[in-house]
Amino acid sequence: MTFDQSGVRSFRMELASSLQAHWKLYLFEGIVLIILGIAAILIPQIATLTVELFIGWLLLFSGIAGLFTTFSIRPMPGFWWSLFSALIGIAAGLMLLFWPISGVISLTLVLIAFFILEGIASILFALEHRAELPGSWWAMLLSGIVDLVLAGLIFFGLPSSAGWAIGLLVGINLIFGGCALSAMALQARNIDTRA
C-alpha cells in the first residue's frame, strides 16, 4: 500500500515539475488554439471545408491500411467483412475528397443527429434525476433543450447551415481548449515543485 502511494506521489511530483518547467510552451499552444478558434469562427466555411477534407483523408488512409491488413491475413475468419469495411472507408474518403460539398452536408446531418440524440439523453437524464440533483437538474435540462434548438437551427438552415455549422463548432471547441490550456499553463508557472 505504501509503495502505491509513494509511486503516485512520485508521479505527481514529476508531472508538476514538468508542467512548471514547460509552462511557456503550454501557454503558447493555448494562445495558438485560441487564435485558430477565432479564425474558425470568423471564417467558418473554410474551417468546415478543412475539417471535411481532413476526415476524407483519414477515411481514405484508414481504408487503405485496412485493405492492406485484410489481404495480409487473408485466411483469417471474417475476411469478407474486413474487405467490405476497408472498401467502404476508401469509398467514403474518396467521396469526401472529390465531392467536398456533399461531404459537408453529410457531416452536418451527422452533427444534427448527434445534437438530437444528445439533447434527448440530457433531458431524460435531468428528468430522471430531479430528486437526486434538486439544485442542478435544470442545468442538464437546459443543456438538452439547447442541443435540440441547435439541431433545429442547423437542420432548418440547410443547405446553407452546412457551410458554417461544423467550422463554428470547431472554432468554439478550439477557443475553449485554448483557454483551458492557457489557464493550466499560468497556474503551472507558480507550482512549488519542492513540496
Side-chain angles (χ1 to χ4, degrees):
M1 186 109 172
T2 3
F3 176 74
D4 289 342
Q5 289 176 350
S6 67
V8 169
R9 187 176 182 331
S10 174
F11 173 75
R12 286 183 178 164
M13 293 295 291
E14 288 178 31
L15 180 63
S17 178
S18 177
L19 286 171
Q20 200 274 335
H22 303 290
W23 72 270
K24 289 180 184 176
L25 289 173
Y26 291 116
L27 180 62
F28 174 75
E29 182 183 356
I31 291 169
V32 168
L33 289 177
I34 292 168
I35 292 169
L36 290 174
I38 291 169
I41 289 172
L42 293 176
I43 316 168
Q45 296 84 357
I46 292 175
T48 295
L49 187 60
T50 302
V51 169
E52 188 271 345
L53 291 173
F54 179 71
I55 292 172
W57 283 110
L58 286 177
L59 288 173
L60 178 63
F61 286 132
S62 70
I64 291 170
L67 195 62
F68 175 77
T69 304
T70 299
F71 280 108
S72 297
I73 57 171
R74 188 176 175 121
M76 295 292 289
F79 169 81
W80 294 107
W81 289 114
S82 295
L83 179 64
F84 180 72
S85 175
L87 292 175
I88 290 292
I90 291 171
L94 290 173
M95 285 176 47
L96 290 176
L97 293 173
F98 288 110
W99 295 283
I101 301 304
S102 298
V104 166
I105 292 173
S106 300
L107 290 176
T108 304
L109 291 173
V110 169
L111 181 67
I112 291 168
F114 169 77
F115 277 138
I116 290 172
L117 294 174
E118 180 73 16
I120 291 170
S122 294
I123 290 170
L124 293 175
F125 180 87
L127 294 175
E128 187 172 327
H129 295 287
R130 280 182 299 192
E132 295 88 7
L133 305 167
S136 61
W137 70 274
W138 61 270
M140 184 64 76
L141 178 71
L142 182 61
S143 172
I145 292 169
V146 167
D147 283 343
L148 293 178
V149 169
L150 281 172
L153 288 173
I154 296 169
F155 178 76
F156 290 113
L158 281 174
S160 65
S161 65
W164 57 262
I166 294 171
L168 179 66
L169 294 172
V170 166
I172 291 169
N173 179 270
L174 287 171
I175 288 175
F176 276 97
C179 288
L181 199 56
S182 298
M184 182 199 73
L186 293 173
Q187 182 70 36
R189 119 185 116 166
N190 298 321
I191 291 176
D192 183 11
T193 56
R194 294 169 292 160

